[in-house]
Amino acid sequence: MSATPAAEPATQPTGTPDAPVADAPVGDGLRERATEALRRLVGRADADFRDGQLEAIAELVEGRRRVLVVQRTGWGKSAVYFVATALRRAEGAGPTVIVSPLLALMRDQIGAAQRAGIRAVTLNSTNADEWGEVSGALARGEVDVLLVSPERLNNPRFRDEQLPHLASTCGLLVVDEAHCVSDWGHDFRPDYRRIRDLLTSLPERTPVLATTATANARVVTDVVEQLGAGGRDVLTLRGPLARASLRLGVLPLAAPEQRLAWLIAHLGELPGSGIVYALTVAAAEDVAAALREAGHEVAAYTGRTEPAERIRLEEALRDNSVKALVATSALGMGFDKPDLGFVLHLGAPSSPVAYYQQVGRAGRATERADVLLMPGPEDKDIWRYFASASMPRQDQADAVLRALSESAKPLSTVALEAIVDVRRTRLELLLKVLDVDGAVQRVPGGWTATGEPWAYDEERYGRVTEAREREQQLMVDYERTDGCRMAFLQTCLDDDTAEPCGRCDGCVGPWFDATIPDAAVNTARSRLDRPGVALEPRAQWPSGMDRLGVPLRGRIAADVAMAEGRAVARLSDLGWGQRLRELLRGEDRELPPEVLRACVDVLASWGWSRRPVAVVSVPSRRRPRLVESLASGIGELGRLPYLGSLDLAEGGPVGDPGGNSAFRLANVWGRLVVGPELAGRLDGVPGPVLLVDDVADSRWTLTVCSGLLREAGAPEVLPLALALEA
């Protein structure tokens, strides 16, 4: 059963074939009570269990065991824990605690429980105003199911005030999406490792259920090791992972305009409504905009989408009021629409396991759902970036531990950023890893060092890296196989029941129309060839700059701030992004004419209040010819004088280009100056100055240069970069 029992019964009529998972005998009394609970749950008098569901419930309710269920998406894992909850509560047990990874998933689970008459509540970061009410309901025994995120387990208030009582009284602990426990998995989350501590605090006979649809043998071994904390035996119930409703295919189109053109031409032909996955936020937003311009009812859904807007978009897709959501992996485990008609990928996920998880959104309650992958040449670059961002680095871990050990009080994440040169997202992940390993602890006010020794496990992380590289190659192999694609995915998940599905393009040939009308290609090309993205100015100096010897704090003064700028494209964009990546990867050279024309197009569509009257460049040590030719070329075409470049001081900016905001600013501050010649040319300049650079990332170089130019007499500075690193 999925998280929406009213829409997708988690059951099958008696006698429907489905491979058995367990062969444990189930008593008639339990069978009768469980079947009655199931029928209440799904609202069907003829509902019965799928093979393996009742056996899992019996192991939990009668055997009080720890059970790992690995079953395909849509099999009915939530039916197991909701029915087990009803039976345990009828016996007088305390509430079920479900550790669930995403707010969207919690929303679906709560809705499913309430429709079945199960009282479910949640404690999460978005409902802090309800915590008192929820705590009171728990104390009065009015809650059947409490859903919490793994991060909540380490919230100081929750951890100290509520978790001990919950651990001692809960009737069932459920770990949903349990593959997140394993750092071998495709979606490892350090906070899931905290569950091991929770398991050791449970009374001896508290049953535990862990569920996942995406775990190969290696991940299963890791999850079982975690579930066995305290010396408990773990029973693994594993079923076949083939999805009979899915019709898989791969359409290799190297050019981004061809992939987008295929979507423009054929999206309306796909069954029902569905999801179009993209690998980056920029790609999702650009594709959604292009499809809307072509007349398709779609919307973008990414990690940047506000929580309220996410809920609205999820409902729009459920109600079929949009044809598709163009989404990143932010729309994944947490979303349930049983009749989702298709899942398309513009770009491949980094492993077949991750791909199986995402395509599993489709076809849960339909006879057929179409699944098509359109890989791109940029996929491998994106895989490498995300893989490196998720792995801890020893030098950064050592710096964090040293800073916390030397501090007399807890340090917040913001305070740490002014001490250690680690970007916010990587720092937050690193703190979680160190916390789970016992080296640091989250307390009111921030983080402290525990004093426990910590060593970087180079061998372990090396093995994880090798495993991820193998999985990336498997994804390439999936794209290229001429065999059954469903069987390929099953094999990657170590499912030994794999056999040809008889539906995919490997079994029966292409089921999709691969033709792309010229009109669609022209539409796609015109959209992707349209350069120009906003380059937002910085509004605030980073906190704690005084620690780094930089006398800045608060808001950036209006008289030194840069104006909103433009870049030709983000490096992650489907169109110009790919061309700019190739340009910036190569040797320093003159700016190609087509890129200069794109810059002119950006300038022509800028819409500034006052036209620039001169051009200045940011000095570049890596690409001086490229930047100078950009500045002089724009000046020549726009009939604007090129005033020259700022000068490098003390060798120029230093530091890691991937560092955090505070260090990026400190590494630029005082290392750029307006030299005498440039100052003389700026004196009395009558209008805005166009400031050009090759790549904008943190935007601190442009911010500092803009301030220097304005102090030297420029009334306004308009920044222009070839590429935006985002």
Side-chain angles (χ1 to χ4, degrees), residues 131-145:
W131 290 1
E133 181 182 339
V134 170
S135 298
L138 283 166
R140 294 189 298 272
E142 298 171 354
V143 172
D144 298 317
V145 171

Side-chain angles (χ1 to χ4, degrees), residues 195-341:
I195 295 170
R196 185 184 185 96
D197 296 331
L198 176 58
L199 290 168
T200 60
S201 67
L202 297 175
E204 177 66 23
R205 284 177 53 77
T206 302
V208 177
L209 171 66
T211 68
T212 182
T214 51
N216 57 23
R218 184 178 59 247
V219 172
V220 166
T221 299
D222 201 10
V223 174
V224 167
E225 192 274 331
Q226 298 293 316
L227 289 179
R232 292 289 300 275
D233 178 56
V234 179
L235 174 67
T236 299
L237 302 178
R238 182 164 191 152
L241 300 178
R243 293 288 307 282
S245 63
L246 300 187
R247 188 167 63 164
L248 303 171
V250 174
L251 180 57
L253 298 169
E257 64 267 24
Q258 290 182 307
R259 284 173 272 155
L260 181 56
W262 190 94
L263 267 179
I264 290 171
H266 297 289
L267 182 63
E269 302 166 6
L270 296 169
S273 56
I275 301 172
V276 177
Y277 278 111
L279 295 186
T280 67
V281 171
E285 292 175 345
D286 289 349
V287 169
L291 291 175
R292 283 195 301 271
E293 288 179 9
H296 295 289
E297 193 66 37
V298 301
Y301 184 113
T302 75
R304 294 179 187 169
T305 307
E306 294 295 328
E309 179 67 1
R310 289 192 188 198
I311 295 173
R312 188 190 72 78
L313 292 176
E314 290 165 16
E315 289 305 315
L317 184 55
R318 285 193 187 93
D319 297 341
N320 299 314
S321 57
V322 293
K323 179 65 177 179
L325 293 183
V326 185
T328 63
S329 58
L331 184 65
M333 291 182 292
F335 182 74
D336 179 52
K337 175 178 166 61
D339 62 342
L340 196 74

Side-chain angles (χ1 to χ4, degrees), residues 337-520:
K337 175 178 166 61
D339 62 342
L340 196 74
F342 62 88
V343 170
L344 269 63
H345 280 77
L346 280 177
S350 60
S351 77
V353 180
Y355 185 63
Y356 177 87
Q357 191 273 329
Q358 289 182 350
V359 302
R361 302 296 101 202
R364 296 184 178 192
T366 59
E367 290 186 2
R368 194 200 84 195
D370 290 341
V371 173
L372 185 64
L373 170 64
M374 289 184 277
E378 70 276 6
D379 294 352
K380 292 182 180 179
D381 288 339
I382 297 171
W383 297 345
R384 279 192 292 269
Y385 171 79
F386 284 116
S388 64
S390 66
M391 298 292 286
R393 281 174 37 183
Q394 182 168 7
D395 60 328
Q396 294 178 342
D398 291 343
V400 168
L401 290 173
R402 185 165 52 252
L404 293 176
S405 299
E406 293 173 354
S407 176
K409 61 180 182 180
L411 295 175
S412 67
T413 306
V414 173
L416 275 169
E417 281 187 303
I419 303 173
V420 296
D421 189 8
V422 186
R423 276 193 175 182
R424 175 71 61 89
T425 52
R426 184 184 283 271
L427 178 58
E428 290 173 341
L429 177 64
L430 179 57
L431 285 166
K432 290 179 180 182
V433 170
L434 293 173
D435 185 14
V436 170
D437 288 347
V440 305
Q441 184 179 25
R442 188 179 173 195
V443 298
W447 298 87
T448 62
T450 63
E452 292 294 320
W454 184 85
Y456 183 81
D457 193 341
E458 185 173 357
E459 182 181 356
R460 174 188 171 202
Y461 289 121
R463 292 198 306 270
V464 172
T465 298
E466 290 174 3
R468 291 181 179 176
E469 290 172 351
R470 286 195 298 271
E471 288 169 353
Q472 291 172 9
Q473 183 56 49
L474 281 173
M475 197 65 223
V476 174
D477 295 343
Y478 172 83
E479 297 167 11
R480 297 172 178 172
T481 184
D482 57 4
C484 174
R485 298 197 191 276
M486 180 58 73
F488 187 100
L489 293 177
Q490 288 178 262
T491 301
C492 291
L493 284 156
D494 296 312
D495 178 4
D496 58 11
T497 68
E499 58 183 23
C501 69
R503 297 175 304 280
C504 71
D505 59 347
C507 288
V508 298
W511 47 263
F512 45 85
D513 183 355
T515 59
I516 307 174
D518 290 341

